């Protein structure tokens, strides 16, 4: 199975995926890392691991459709079976999602359906929740709304700061995401309507 990982930033989840792959905990090929942000740390991590990289910047294309067509062309070239969004801070169009139906995963740093969007950790912390944590889910046309594969629960203590909470959530993400990817690779994830069954 060929995997492409999409990133826009520091790529700590990508690193966790690379490390899990090296340990043999993800039994698939990490074929391509796609980034819409040139010179992000994620690209450095990919290069260091010897993974092919692709930089596609939105500003270089007239429309979102053209921008995504360039990405899809490269995914086809690499025969990608699974797309893993790891801190990719762009919404994927409905057309793109439909072309890779049930083959795009995302990680979100809050317990969905709470605190969707780009500030999941901050929003949960400021709301005063007592438990939060990352969610791995399928990507559908609605943002952060696809069937949930795995979630990790993190207790928020009175001593926590937004930073300490972020650290705990990231640590959990780095365990959860490789596990979810390997479940997908093994064909153990079954979608039944809104629900996911791990078989
Ligand atoms: C992760 O915490 C991920 O959950 C979050 O971006 C971070 C990327 O970190 N994603 C979202 O907020 C998506 N809505 P990384 O680049 O170090 O993996």
């Amino acid at each position: 199975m060929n995997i492409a990982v999409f990133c826009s930033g520091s790529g700590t989840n990508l690193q966790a995926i690379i490390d899990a792959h090296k340990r043999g905990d993800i039994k698939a090929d990490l074929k391509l890392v796609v980034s819409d942000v040139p010179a992000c740390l994620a690209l450095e991590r990919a290069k260091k691991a010897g993974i092919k990289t692709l930089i596609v910047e939105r500003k270089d294309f007239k429309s979102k459709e053209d921008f995504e067509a360039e990405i899809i062309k490269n995914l086809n070239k690499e025969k990608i079976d699974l797309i893993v969004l790891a801190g990719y801070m762009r919404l994927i169009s409905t057309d793109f999602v439909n072309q890779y139906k049930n083959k795009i995963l995302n990680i979100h740093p809050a317990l969905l359906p709470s605190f969707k969007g780009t500030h999941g950790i901050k929003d949960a912390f400021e709301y005063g929740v007592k438990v939060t944590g990352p969610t791995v889910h399928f990507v559908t046309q609605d943002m952060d709304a696809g069937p949930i594969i795995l979630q990790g629960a993190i207790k928020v203590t009175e001593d926590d700061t937004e930073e300490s909470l972020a650290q705990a959530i990231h640590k959990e993400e780095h365990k959860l995401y490789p596990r979810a990817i390997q479940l997908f690779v093994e064909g153990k994830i079954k979608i039944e309507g809104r629900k996911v069954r791990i078989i």
Side-chain angles (χ1 to χ4, degrees):
M1 184 176 287
N2 295 332
I3 299 178
V5 184
F6 285 30
C7 304
S8 304
S10 62
T12 63
N13 278 285
L14 169 66
Q15 191 63 55
I17 292 164
I18 290 170
D19 294 345
H21 179 258
K22 271 197 199 139
R23 288 196 304 271
D25 292 344
I26 295 177
K27 295 181 178 57
D29 290 327
L30 298 179
K31 277 275 179 182
L32 187 65
V33 169
V34 178
S35 175
D36 62 322
V37 178
C40 67
L41 193 53
L43 286 168
E44 293 311 309
R45 296 179 192 274
K47 283 179 197 153
K48 208 168 156 200
I51 305 169
K52 197 184 243 182
T53 58
L54 172 72
I55 302 167
V56 189
E57 284 186 85
R58 173 66 183 86
K59 69 171 179 53
D60 292 337
F61 297 86
K62 272 214 304 271
S63 63
K64 180 163 180 158
E65 203 181 338
D66 292 350
F67 164 71
E68 289 189 338
E70 176 66 17
I71 297 175
I72 291 168
K73 187 181 85 188
N74 282 277
L75 297 178
N76 289 336
K77 205 159 81 184
E78 300 295 333
K79 299 187 165 49
I80 297 301
D81 306 295
L82 170 67
I83 297 170
V84 171
L85 307 184
Y88 183 68
M89 293 313 211
R90 227 167 241 291
L91 285 179
I92 290 186
S93 73
T94 302
D95 267 3
F96 191 161
V97 170
N98 286 340
Q99 283 193 53
Y100 284 85
K101 197 164 187 283
N102 299 336
K103 290 177 179 170
I104 309 177
L105 309 185
N106 183 44
I107 191 155
H108 181 74
L111 292 173
L112 292 174
S114 291
F115 309 109
K116 296 176 178 176
T118 46
H119 305 288
I121 298 174
K122 185 176 196 286
D123 293 347
F125 181 72
E126 287 181 354
Y127 196 88
V129 297
K130 301 293 187 193
V131 179
T132 184
T135 301
V136 180
H137 64 96
F138 282 103
V139 172
T140 54
Q141 61 187 47
D142 300 317
M143 188 187 68
D144 297 333
I148 291 169
I149 301 168
L150 295 176
Q151 292 185 303
I154 303 287
K155 275 192 181 158
V156 186
T157 70
E158 285 173 12
D159 296 333
D160 264 318
T161 60
E162 192 187 320
E163 290 68 33
S164 67
L165 183 60
Q167 223 176 9
I169 290 172
H170 289 139
K171 199 170 159 202
E172 181 66 19
E173 287 188 334
H174 300 159
K175 287 190 273 177
L176 211 65
Y177 217 1
R179 204 188 306 151
I181 292 167
Q182 180 56 18
L183 285 171
F184 184 96
V185 170
E186 290 173 356
K188 288 188 173 164
I189 298 177
K190 202 155 174 258
I191 304 176
E192 295 172 346
R194 253 228 65 84
K195 292 184 184 168
V196 163
R197 197 147 60 92
I198 311 289
I199 51 175

